[in-house]
Amino acid sequence: MDTYDVIVVGAGTAGCVLAARLSEARDTRVLLLEAGGREPLEAVGVPAVWTTDLQGTSADWANTTVVQAATGNRIPWPRGRGLGGSSSINGMCFIRGHRSGYDRWPAAGATGWGFDDLLPYLRRSERAPGRDPSVRGVDGPLTVAPAASHLAVAEAFLTATAEAGQPAAADINSGLEVGFGWSDLNIVDGRRQSAADAYLTPALDRPNLTVVTDALAHRVRVRNGRCTGVEYGVGRGTFFAACHGDVVLSAGTAGSPQLLMLSGIGPAGHLRRVGIEVLLDLPGVGGNLQDHPRSTVVYSPARPVPAGDGNHAEVIGLVRGDLAMDAPDLQLQLVEIPYHAPALPPELPVSGQGYSIAFCAVAPRSRGTVRLAGPSPRTPPLLDPDYYGDPRDLDVMAAGLRLARRIGEAPALAPWRAAEVLPGPGVRDAADVRDYLRASLRTYSHQVGTCRMGTDRLAVVDPTLRVRGVTGLRVADASVMPTIVSANTIATVYGIAERAAEMIRDDLTG
């Protein structure tokens, strides 16, 4: 039986950061466990195929939600599997979101986690050439920048946003602005840059870092209130890795609460119902699930939309809708392909040409759960984000649809616009709009919150990311966010992981 100073469970975005940073200290033995394979699919490196060639493959857990009460259907829920996790299959947009989203965290009990507190760690992760170095990184592992060349339809969209009365943003990725601008992307020299590429691969030859792939974590073991290690399976064998420092769960918003509950840590009543002995009644585990609901307006083109070499989504906007919030509540994005829920194929020409304006509610009020379907670690968890469970989210999305149409109908896009095919010009009254929003809903794959930080009885981890009631056990990934940020979540996950690595390193050396 091997013993490690730190065991990291999950080699996704956060896990790659943690393993790389912690193994910088040569006397710290680090084990990284990953359920997926070691070698990435060839398609992982090709930015343009994230919508077509990665979801549903071995790089994806390929989950779906339970039937959603508000929509009557199941929603596909891609999440990455393998080195790099979701950073290897996502849309490669690198955006922090507005500082107001982070500044809600301390009020929710995550003291010391406001925007200014997290900013040094956000900066630490990135190298953003030509940006303001007081808020952007200059020497981090991730090289982030807008697309090297801009598609003409994206240029037209950006002009259309101004024609629709929307402000421009010099650096929409800084966390300080609202408006529309060019998105930073995790694309370097025409290839995707995943967390594995930027952080883990350069560290793989360190003798103090052990990476075990195809290793499904079964449970953490706890003795006398302390986590002593991780039980995991490889093939038909079951193994145990001991730890005298911290076990860190970085298995994501679905995987981290799943592993806690498999270990007997979670809502006692639920654990008993699925046949798991209760080790610690921690009722917040798996609750507080949040995601950005997303929909699109899809247009057939008046002329061919050229294919770009980026990720199909170069321009993004973070704005206040018409519901008078004191912070941004909508994100809009040009998607340079016909992009829509799988159940709603638009009547596009045979070529499949088209473009879309995507919109999402970035401060949703709906809350859902992750629960176990049974006691086996091989059984997929029950994912219930309860989209539109709070009807105010539908109101925000209706405002997003109105704004997307206003931009889509602006003069600058006239040379590109043939017709609106989704939802279609006949969908105008409030009831029809809401029916479309329900039918066209898709996840933005920004799930957070199921092991949230805080100090109240429903908090799962404290502000040092330690699981409440167990020593030697932490969580560090998107699941610890008390509330969702107003943007694609990966930039924030990098910052959380950088800070977690510093906390753990300080404990080891202190």
Side-chain angles (χ1 to χ4, degrees):
M1 180 181 67
D2 291 326
T3 301
Y4 297 87
D5 298 295
V6 181
I7 298 176
V8 180
V9 180
T13 303
C16 286
V17 176
L18 287 159
R21 291 302 195 194
L22 292 168
S23 62
E24 288 174 347
R26 295 183 180 180
D27 58 350
T28 300
R29 295 193 66 205
V30 179
L31 171 65
L32 177 62
L33 298 173
E34 168 54 41
R38 182 175 291 261
E39 296 302 322
L41 300 177
E42 184 177 347
V44 165
V46 183
V49 303
W50 67 271
T51 61
T52 56
D53 293 4
L54 291 171
Q55 296 180 13
T57 68
S58 61
D60 177 14
W61 285 94
N63 297 140
T64 59
T65 70
V66 301
V67 174
Q68 294 297 280
T71 66
N73 62 354
R74 300 176 186 270
I75 308 294
W77 244 43
R79 56 186 182 108
R81 180 172 181 160
L83 300 184
S86 291
S87 75
S88 294
I89 68 170
N90 70 352
M92 293 157 286
C93 286
F94 188 86
I95 308 163
R96 292 176 184 168
H98 195 261
R99 66 172 299 145
S100 57
Y102 302 90
D103 287 341
R104 286 196 290 267
W105 290 4
T111 54
W113 283 85
F115 180 77
D116 291 335
D117 302 305
L118 193 56
L119 181 59
Y121 306 95
L122 297 170
R123 293 179 63 247
R124 187 176 295 178
S125 72
E126 66 178 13
R127 179 186 292 111
R131 304 302 178 95
D132 179 357
S134 69
V135 292
R136 302 303 305 273
V138 296
D139 57 2
L142 294 160
T143 299
V144 299
S149 60
H150 301 313
L151 291 179
V153 67
E155 297 270 13
F157 175 79
L158 196 55
T159 301
T161 64
E163 292 173 340
Q166 297 301 308
D171 182 5
I172 191 60
N173 310 300
S174 68
L176 305 178
E177 295 183 85
V178 296
F180 283 81
W182 299 104
S183 174
D184 282 339
L185 305 173
N186 290 124
I187 299 175
V188 179
D189 296 329
R191 302 280 294 177
R192 174 196 295 274
Q193 186 185 46
S194 69
D197 298 325
Y199 280 89
L200 186 61
T201 298
L204 287 176
D205 61 352
R206 294 173 185 165
N208 59 322
L209 173 61
T210 301
V211 179
V212 182
T213 53
D214 299 302
L216 180 66
H218 294 176
R219 64 187 178 108
V220 298
R221 290 187 189 173
V222 178
R223 183 176 182 182
N224 297 326
R226 177 174 180 80
C227 183
T228 59
V230 181
E231 181 184 301
Y232 64 97
V234 178
R236 295 184 179 180
T238 299
F239 305 89
F240 176 72
C243 183
H244 58 69
D246 280 332
V247 171
V248 189
L249 306 187
S250 296
T253 295
S256 288
Q258 179 188 21
L259 187 54
L260 285 175
M261 289 186 285
L262 288 169
S263 308
I265 302 169
H270 170 66
L271 298 181
R272 292 189 183 103
R273 283 193 294 274
V274 295
I276 291 179
E277 181 181 353
V278 178
L279 178 70
L280 174 64
D281 182 13
L282 201 58
V285 172
N288 192 48
L289 175 61
Q290 301 157 59
D291 190 16
H292 290 145
R294 198 182 198 200
S295 183
T296 54
V297 179
V298 181
Y299 294 92
S300 60
R303 55 179 173 173
V305 179
D309 57 2
N311 69 333
H312 305 304
E314 301 176 10
V315 181
I316 205 157
L318 182 61
V319 299
R320 294 176 178 87
D322 55 9
L323 303 180
M325 273 194 69
D326 60 356
D329 61 346
L330 283 169
Q331 185 203 87
L332 288 93
Q333 185 180 45
L334 177 72
V335 184
E336 298 141 4
I337 54 174
Y339 188 66
H340 51 85
L344 289 175
E347 297 177 0
L348 292 173
V350 174
S351 66
Q353 282 274 316
Y355 61 93
S356 312
I357 300 176
F359 55 96
C360 79
V362 294
R365 296 175 172 90
S366 300
R367 300 291 185 267
T369 58
V370 171
R371 293 289 181 252
L372 298 179
S376 170
R378 299 188 180 279
T379 302
L382 301 174
L383 309 171
D384 184 7
D386 194 24
Y387 293 117
Y388 300 146
D390 189 316
R392 291 174 292 182
D393 292 343
L394 265 176
D395 296 336
V396 175
M397 289 291 283
L401 176 57
R402 288 192 291 273
L403 179 55
R405 278 175 155 168
R406 191 158 70 244
I407 295 169
E409 294 163 6
L413 283 169
W416 297 94
R417 182 179 62 246
E420 178 190 306
V421 292
L422 280 176
V427 178
R428 293 286 173 179
D429 69 53
D432 288 345
V433 163
R434 280 160 172 73
D435 285 345
Y436 173 72
L437 292 172
R438 295 184 186 97
S440 63
L441 172 71
R442 63 186 306 159
T443 176
Y444 207 170
S445 298
H446 296 164
Q447 299 90 12
V448 308
T450 50
C451 297
R452 77 166 174 88
M453 261 190 287
T455 54
D456 62 277
R457 63 177 295 272
L458 292 179
V460 177
V461 299
D462 67 19
T464 65
L465 305 181
R466 292 184 174 93
V467 174
R468 297 171 60 244
V470 182
T471 59
L473 181 61
R474 301 195 203 222
V475 181
D477 55 30
S479 71
V480 305
M481 297 186 202
T483 54
I484 197 167
V485 294
S486 56
N488 310 55
T489 49
I490 194 166
T492 305
V493 173
Y494 279 115
I496 290 170
E498 285 277 11
R499 190 172 190 187
E502 182 178 276
M503 288 177 171
I504 296 165
R505 186 169 55 243
D506 289 348
D507 286 350
L508 288 170
T509 59

